[in-house]
Every structure is written in structure tokens, then in C-alpha cells.
Amino acid sequence: MKKTVYLFDFDGTITTKDTFIEVIRHAKGTWKWLFGFLLFSPILVLMKLHLYPNWKAKQRIFAYFFKGMTIEVFDELCRNFAAVNRYLLRPKALETIAEARKKGEVCVVSASIDNWVRPFLPDIKIVGTQIEVLNGLLTGRFTTPNCYGREKVNRIERVLTSPRSELNIIAFGDSRGDYEMLKYADEAHYKPFRT
């Protein structure tokens, strides 16, 4: 009998909003957040037009807001962000995750930084974008490719504990960044928790 593995995207699937934007607002306040995104608006427009790489835009914005912060301060900020933003989690998604844990292995696969995804779901395996830390300080760079699109499948394949042929994979996603993961699955659910 095949082992069942459940794969869940985080932003927009488990949550109601993009947490990358929300964690910056939480950390820096609305005015600094607005100023930063206004500053990067030309790059964001180019990214939307597919003329500038998604990962590069994301890394530049992340560096602008967090470069030089200690990892201890950043992790505390991430824990606090999760604690005060539980309302972002979709109840139907949490119910489905709870049921999935009874039936098989569960993994959240997210383009978000895993430091702030993990506090929302501390007992679940998280595969996210990872950040570089040197001498205890955030460099503003990522140590993994942005966990988006094809990279989601690459990262999933690295954490699977059994050959793909022995697995029944059920995936949940809501955006273009989840397309390859949904295609990779035996059973795909697109925008499943919207009411």
C-alpha cells in the first residue's frame, strides 16, 4: 500500500494573505513598509511583467528591511508575528491539516521564509526559503533558491523519505507558484479552502 504525503502551500492556501508583506508591516510599521514598497515599485512592476526575476526582487526587498538584524531578534519577531496573526490562518485549512496528519505525512512547502512559517505550524515539516546568517547577522541573502514554481518540486524531492513511485501525493495550492507542485501530485486541489 502506498504511503500518503500531503503537501500544502502556505501563503493564500493556509493563510488569507501574503505573509511576506504582512511580516514586514509587523516588523517596521505601516509607514516604513509603504515607503519601502514605493521605493521598490519599479522592480515590482518589472517582476509582474516577467522582466525581473521573482527571487531577486524578493531578496532585495528582504535585504532592505532585515539586513544586519541579529538572527535572535529576527526569530523573536517571527514568533511574535505568528502569535498575534493567528487570524490569518484559514480554519478549513487547519481542519484539513489535522485530518491529513492522522492519515499520512504532512509538509508545508512555501516561498515564504521558513523562520516565520514554522511558528504558525510548529509540529509540521516546513520547506521554505532559507536565509543566510553570518556571525549571527542576517546578510539579506537567501541560502536556497526561492521556494516557488519548479523549486517547490526540487525541494519536495529532497525531503521525501520514500521513492516517488511508493507515494500517493495530495497537494493543495492557490497560485502560479504552486503549479508545478500541483502537477507533480497524484491529487491536486486548487484554491481549496476559499468560502
Side-chain angles (χ1 to χ4, degrees):
M1 187 174 168
K2 288 188 175 184
K3 177 181 172 183
T4 304
V5 176
Y6 296 84
L7 304 173
F8 292 85
D9 166 58
F10 187 64
D11 291 293
T13 300
I14 295 173
T15 69
T16 56
K17 291 183 179 178
D18 184 308
T19 56
F20 182 62
I21 292 168
E22 294 303 313
V23 81
I24 293 169
R25 192 199 314 246
H26 173 81
K28 302 296 179 179
T30 300
W31 290 111
K32 285 184 181 176
W33 168 80
L34 278 172
F35 179 77
F37 275 87
L38 190 62
L39 191 67
F40 286 99
S41 58
I43 286 172
L44 293 171
V45 169
L46 290 173
M47 184 190 80
K48 289 289 182 190
L49 295 171
H50 306 287
L51 299 172
Y52 194 85
N54 176 298
W55 71 268
K56 194 180 268 190
K58 183 175 174 179
Q59 184 173 259
R60 285 186 66 179
I61 293 167
F62 180 80
Y64 174 79
F65 286 107
F66 298 110
K67 182 180 178 181
M69 185 178 282
T70 68
I71 186 61
E72 291 81 10
V73 168
F74 184 69
D75 281 342
E76 179 59 30
L77 186 150
C78 292
R79 286 189 293 270
N80 183 260
F81 172 71
V84 300
N85 287 282
R86 302 289 302 169
Y87 72 92
L88 293 174
L89 301 174
R90 295 180 190 272
K92 284 185 183 176
L94 295 180
E95 287 169 23
T96 304
I97 289 169
E99 283 302 309
R101 292 183 74 189
K102 296 174 189 173
K103 299 173 186 174
E105 187 179 331
V106 175
C107 184
V108 172
V109 188
S110 176
S112 275
I113 311 300
D114 53 8
N115 298 60
W116 71 71
V117 178
R118 192 171 293 110
F120 279 102
L121 303 158
D123 301 324
I124 306 251
K125 184 185 288 184
I126 307 296
V127 175
T129 302
Q130 297 179 345
I131 54 173
E132 183 179 64
V133 179
L134 288 178
N135 302 316
L137 300 176
L138 276 61
T139 66
R141 293 187 295 269
F142 301 152
T143 59
T144 60
N146 189 31
C147 194
Y148 176 94
R150 176 63 205 175
E151 183 59 22
K152 286 200 173 193
V153 176
N154 295 342
R155 297 285 297 284
I156 290 160
E157 288 178 335
R158 284 189 211 123
V159 299
L160 291 177
T161 53
S162 304
R164 175 67 182 91
S165 58
E166 295 175 14
L167 300 172
N168 176 42
I169 295 180
I170 302 171
F172 301 80
D174 79 305
S175 71
R176 169 63 194 90
D178 303 317
Y179 175 78
E180 288 84 353
M181 179 176 79
L182 294 170
K183 197 170 177 191
Y184 181 73
D186 298 294
E187 182 183 320
H189 299 270
Y190 183 67
K191 297 187 177 181
F193 310 119
R194 309 274 171 111
T195 50

